[in-house]
Amino acid sequence: AQSVTQLDSQVPVFEEAPVELRCNYSSSVSVYLFWYVQYPNQGLQLLLKYLSGSTLVESINGFEAEFNKSQTSFHLRKPSVHISDTAEYFCAVKNQGGSEKLVFGKGTKLTVNP
Amino acid sequence: EAGVAQSPRYKIIEKRQSVAFWCNPISGHATLYWYQQILGQGPKLLIQFQNNGVVDDSQLPKDRFSAERLKGVDSTLKIQPAKLEDSAVYLCASSMGQGIYEQYFGPGTRLTVT
């Protein structure tokens, strides 16, 4: 069965600083990888996804993540964060074929301070 | 395009009582999911429907939880009787199909069992 580990439960940073949210996964087969964001009192929104092709994927609001198969990682990065990026971020994995189950990590709460 | 709708948004009940949650997916979405998100954890899949058939309910506590999707559109999730450990946010999501299709999440129902 697949699993996801998000190494940091909370990440506080100052506005305009760079940030990296770490995600490692475990699976015996090839996977699809996702980052979701959850703003306070809202549902989950897809931030970006890796399905195939280029290992570097980007979102429309400046986030990027790189799929590293050898390290089984899919870390999320942003070079300069804004106050509005304060939210909880969830990494998720789905096996290609077989079970369609989307398995989430425990989440990382990003707090951007002025 | 309207998103996934859920009701109620909040519910407080006493243990051993019953409760039901309702979900209306995005129009045309064949696949519907119910997740349980306990505080401090990532969402966990409870049940997945493809049209009105169950695809995966391996993590649904069937002695107390039940779900149905009549006519392949709306869905209800019921808990009877509720336990203290059922306190969580219940998220509904829908997608056009299985595989690489994006899952769209509703705002969730926050259940508190006292």
Side-chain angles (χ1 to χ4, degrees), chain A residues 1-27:
Chain A
Q2 67 272 49
S3 66
V4 176
T5 302
Q6 291 185 246
L7 296 166
D8 306 297
S9 59
Q10 297 188 56
V11 173
V13 295
F14 288 108
E15 194 173 17
E16 297 183 4
V19 70
E20 179 179 76
L21 306 183
R22 296 178 291 171
C23 172
N24 288 88
Y25 69 92
S26 173
S27 177

Side-chain angles (χ1 to χ4, degrees), chain A residues 32 34 36 38 41-46 49 51 88 90 94 99-102 104-107, chain B residues 9-10 35 37 40-43 45 48 56 58-59 91 98-103 105-107:
Chain A
Y32 302 124
F34 307 82
Y36 283 83
Q38 188 173 35
N41 299 315
Q42 295 186 29
L44 291 155
Q45 302 173 33
L46 181 65
K49 60 187 175 185
L51 302 179
E88 190 145 24
F90 292 91
K94 179 192 288 190
S99 170
E100 293 289 331
K101 188 181 302 181
L102 190 61
F104 287 86
K106 292 187 175 182
Chain B
R9 291 294 310 276
Y10 305 91
Y35 290 86
Q37 185 178 15
Q41 298 182 22
L45 180 69
Q48 176 185 340
D56 184 347
S58 58
Q59 298 191 101
L91 296 166
Q98 300 182 73
I100 65 172
Y101 293 103
E102 177 180 346
Q103 293 186 26
F105 285 80

Side-chain angles (χ1 to χ4, degrees), chain B residues 3 8 41 44 49 61 70 74 77 87 96-97 99 101 104:
Chain B
Q41 298 182 22
K44 181 184 79 172
F49 291 94
L70 299 175
D74 293 6
L77 176 69
S87 293
M96 290 185 64
Y101 293 103
Y104 294 84

Side-chain angles (χ1 to χ4, degrees), chain A:
Chain A
Q2 67 272 49
S3 66
V4 176
T5 302
Q6 291 185 246
L7 296 166
D8 306 297
S9 59
Q10 297 188 56
V11 173
V13 295
F14 288 108
E15 194 173 17
E16 297 183 4
V19 70
E20 179 179 76
L21 306 183
R22 296 178 291 171
C23 172
N24 288 88
Y25 69 92
S26 173
S27 177
S28 57
V29 301
S30 297
V31 297
Y32 302 124
L33 293 158
F34 307 82
W35 275 100
Y36 283 83
V37 58
Q38 188 173 35
Y39 298 103
N41 299 315
Q42 295 186 29
L44 291 155
Q45 302 173 33
L46 181 65
L47 187 61
L48 45 75
K49 60 187 175 185
Y50 170 77
L51 302 179
S52 65
S54 173
T55 57
L56 183 65
V57 291
E58 298 177 354
S59 72
I60 59 173
N61 58 352
F63 282 94
E64 64 178 30
E66 186 161 19
F67 169 53
N68 188 319
K69 188 174 182 179
S70 62
Q71 297 186 10
T72 60
S73 67
F74 192 55
H75 301 331
L76 182 70
R77 296 188 293 263
K78 189 170 185 180
S80 176
V81 294
H82 303 290
I83 298 286
S84 59
D85 293 324
T86 294
E88 190 145 24
Y89 293 79
F90 292 91
C91 182
V93 63
K94 179 192 288 190
N95 284 345
Q96 294 186 22
S99 170
E100 293 289 331
K101 188 181 302 181
L102 190 61
V103 175
F104 287 86
K106 292 187 175 182
T108 297
K109 182 168 175 56
L110 174 65
T111 303
V112 182
N113 298 300

Side-chain angles (χ1 to χ4, degrees), chain B residues 4 21-34 47-55 66-77 92-97:
Chain B
V4 177
F21 312 128
W22 173 82
C23 172
N24 181 235
I26 293 173
S27 177
H29 280 194
T31 311
L32 185 146
Y33 312 79
W34 282 103
I47 189 167
Q48 176 185 340
F49 291 94
Q50 179 69 18
N51 295 310
N52 59 353
V54 175
V55 174
S66 64
E68 60 182 7
R69 189 181 185 198
L70 299 175
K71 301 180 181 179
V73 182
D74 293 6
S75 177
T76 55
L77 176 69
C92 179
S94 70
S95 66
M96 290 185 64

